[in-house]
């Protein structure tokens, strides 16, 4: 599997949903529920609309598939149980890095994809052979781990990999998406911000900011499968303590809550963890928002300006933004931005008569206009 | 006044239907033509369509939302060419506009050839069962029930294969990383 395909995981999730909803609406034209579901989804965000359009356009392209009828379906059917895809022909898609090995072999190879020239890899003396990976401002990288798992590391993040014969431990500072290869003999555990997140064959996003996130602490969003969360230093199987605050009620079938399930987080859920590994908040995952960073997008819905600015600053060391003034600190905005380009945000802010933009060297300060 | 609508009031229903079909196909070609190099155009179109969807009153009963979204998209595109025409300060009739529109929304032989090659390659990257389902559906025109019977799987399974395969093709063909890198 190529790293760029892994990076497109978030897009693929949206594309699957678009294709499936369109198919349901097309095949059940008299079912108002299918139509309503498609409609609701497609108008939920510009990204959803785009995927709805692209899945329709794809039908048009597929209408001209294999015009000379060279592919023998019967032969494909004989291979139907074999899930290994045919290898891509050389030069399949321009700009895409090819993996020349079959998938089974690729799992045994560490593929480090450098997406920026300033990415630094260092080896820790403490764990000989235990590598750590670091990304600088605006950089992002995909790391294929020796067990077949992959880590997509967001900007200004680092992960240390400590694999042994009995366990797969990783220490995270920053944000990453983990796609975990199944291996019951070796638990896959991410240590972040005082919590241990143990995967049960899964894909999940972890974000830790040393407690500087507005929500506070570490945010774990589970995209597939189930994870078990426990406080750092607690023994295996010791459940996490859940604080009384659980503002968002979750659908019953997702098994949230209940003392035995306290530390379990299933696909579609996101939890915020305190520095002592307690779940302080549960919510449903907004898949598009959580994985948007993989496409260098920032998606905000009523987010305070200081937090938006902090997100942009994570992607740029060249130009940083700062917010000053009581009013500016309290403003909230929403929108989808290119993480590497804050100018649309600045243009928007500049239109606010109560705010003023000042440039000091490489820093842009957004502050309250005097007298407003 | 949208040019598409102006045309529709003229020469009668036969042409109206033909134009409607051509423009809906046009939107799809517009998207396909921009697969590799026009990501911004695709995002801009999606953004505008999204805004118009939001402005559609909630009580509106949309019977075929997938078709409706393309109807909205084609009116966005038509408006875009209308604005361009007005800004050009040159009087041109709708045939000229149609010609410009046609260039943007019809199959470009070079793009067409590239698309077909890439589709063939991307198809080869799918699991055999997904390939079989797509071929039976889109090449051979079988109903989902017929495909289910032939492959001895549930109709739901066929649906899942189609959705998964399309999502995979979408990321293989409209590869956003590839554009950036």
């Amino acid at each position: 599997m190529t790293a760029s395909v892994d990076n497109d995981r978030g897009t693929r999730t949206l594309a699957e949903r678009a294709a499936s909803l369109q198919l349901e609406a097309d095949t059940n034209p008299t079912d108002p529920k299918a139509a309503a579901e498609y409609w609701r989804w497609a108008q939920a965000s510009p990204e959803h609309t785009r995927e709805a359009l692209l899945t329709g356009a794809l039908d048009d392209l597929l209408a001209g598939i294999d015009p000379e009828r060279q592919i023998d379906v019967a032969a494909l059917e004989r291979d139907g149980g074999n899930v290994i895809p045919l290898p891509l022909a050389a030069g399949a898609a321009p700009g895409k890095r090819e993996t020349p090995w079959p998938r089974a072999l690729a799992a045994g190879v560490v593929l480090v994809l450098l997406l920026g020239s300033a990415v630094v890899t260092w080896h820790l003396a403490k764990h000989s052979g235990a590598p750590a990976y670091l990304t600088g401002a605006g950089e992002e990288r995909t790391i294929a781990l020796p067990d077949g798992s992959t880590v997509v590391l967001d900007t200004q993040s680092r992960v240390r990999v400590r694999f042994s014969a009995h366990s797969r431990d990783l220490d995270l500072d920053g944000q990453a998406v983990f796609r975990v290869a199944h291996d019951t003999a070796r638990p896959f555990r991410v240590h972040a911000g005082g919590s241990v997140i143990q995967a049960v064959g899964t894909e999940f996003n972890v974000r830790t900011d040393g407690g500087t996130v507005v929500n506070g602490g570490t945010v774990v969003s589970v995209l597939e499968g189930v994870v078990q969360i426990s406080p750092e230093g607690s023994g295996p199987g010791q459940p996490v303590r859940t604080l009384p605050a659980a503002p968002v009620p979750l659908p019953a079938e997702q098994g949230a809550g209940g003392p035995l399930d306290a530390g379990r987080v299933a696909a579609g859920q996101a939890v915020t963890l305190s520095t002592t590994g307690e779940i302080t908040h549960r919510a449903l995952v907004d898949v598009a928002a959580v994985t948007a960073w993989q496409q260098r997008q920032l998606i905000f819905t009523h987010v305070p300006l200081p937090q938006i600015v902090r997100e942009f600053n994570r992607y740029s060391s060249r130009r940083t933004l700062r917010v000053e003034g009581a009013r500016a600190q309290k403003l909230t905005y929403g929108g989808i931005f290119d993480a590497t380009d804050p100018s649309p945000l600045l243009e928007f802010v500049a239109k606010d008569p109560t705010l003023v933009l000042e440039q000091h060297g490489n820093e842009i300060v957004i502050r309250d206009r005097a007298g407003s | 006044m949208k040019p598409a609508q102006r045309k529709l009031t003229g020469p009668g229903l036969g042409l109206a239907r033909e134009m409607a079909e051509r423009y809906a196909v046009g939107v799809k070609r517009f998207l396909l033509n921009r697969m590799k190099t026009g990501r911004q155009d695709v995002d801009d179109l999606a953004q505008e369509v999204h805004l118009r969807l939001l402005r559609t009153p909630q009580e509106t009963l949309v019977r075929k939302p997938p078709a409706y979204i393309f109807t909205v998209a084609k009116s966005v595109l038509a408006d875009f060419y209308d604005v361009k025409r007005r800004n050009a300060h040159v009087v041109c009739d709708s045939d000229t506009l149609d010609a410009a529109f046609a260039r943007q929304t019809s199959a470009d032989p070079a793009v067409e050839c590239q698309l077909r090659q890439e589709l063939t390659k991307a198809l080869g990257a799918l699991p055999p069962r997904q390939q079989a389902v797509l071929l039976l559906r889109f090449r051979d025109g079988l109903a989902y029930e017929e495909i289910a019977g032939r492959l001895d799987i549930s109709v739901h399974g066929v649906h899942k294969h189609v959705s998964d395969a399309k999502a995979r093709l979408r990321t293989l063909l409209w590869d956003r990383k590839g554009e950036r890198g």
Side-chain angles (χ1 to χ4, degrees), chain B residues 29-48:
Chain B
R29 292 316 311 186
F30 179 90
L31 292 167
L32 294 174
N33 287 349
R34 276 154 186 74
M35 205 160 70
K36 284 294 163 191
T37 53
R39 173 185 160 184
Q40 195 56 50
D41 289 343
V42 173
D43 285 347
D44 288 349
L45 176 66
Q47 178 89 31
E48 185 56 34

Side-chain angles (χ1 to χ4, degrees), chain A residues 8 16 20 23-24 27 38 43 50-51 53 55 58-59 66 69 71 77 82 85-86 140 294 296, chain B residues 43 50 53 65 70 124-125 128 131 138-140 144 150-151 159 163 166-167 170 175-177 180:
Chain A
D8 270 332
E16 270 168 26
S20 144
L23 198 151
E24 291 303 323
T27 49
Y38 174 93
Q43 66 168 196
R50 185 192 65 213
E51 294 309 319
L53 287 169
T55 203
L58 199 53
D59 284 348
D66 188 30
R69 304 181 70 86
I71 306 173
E77 282 173 52
N82 182 0
L86 301 176
E140 174 198 309
Q294 291 182 58
R296 306 241 164 165
Chain B
D43 285 347
H50 171 247
L53 295 182
F70 275 90
Q131 293 185 50
F138 290 94
R139 187 191 67 184
D140 304 341
Y144 292 120
R150 170 140 176 201
L151 299 181
H159 287 190
S163 307
K166 283 180 69 182
R170 182 252 178 271
D175 178 60
R176 302 168 79 82
K177 287 280 160 187
R180 206 174 61 216

Side-chain angles (χ1 to χ4, degrees), chain B residues 133-168:
Chain B
V133 167
L134 287 185
L135 288 165
L136 291 173
R137 173 69 189 162
F138 290 94
R139 187 191 67 184
D140 304 341
L142 262 58
Y144 292 120
E145 290 75 13
E146 293 173 303
I147 300 173
R150 170 140 176 201
L151 299 181
D152 200 21
I153 54 176
S154 67
V155 176
H156 177 78
V158 176
H159 287 190
K160 181 90 177 84
H161 281 312
V162 170
S163 307
D164 288 353
K166 283 180 69 182
R168 185 77 201 283

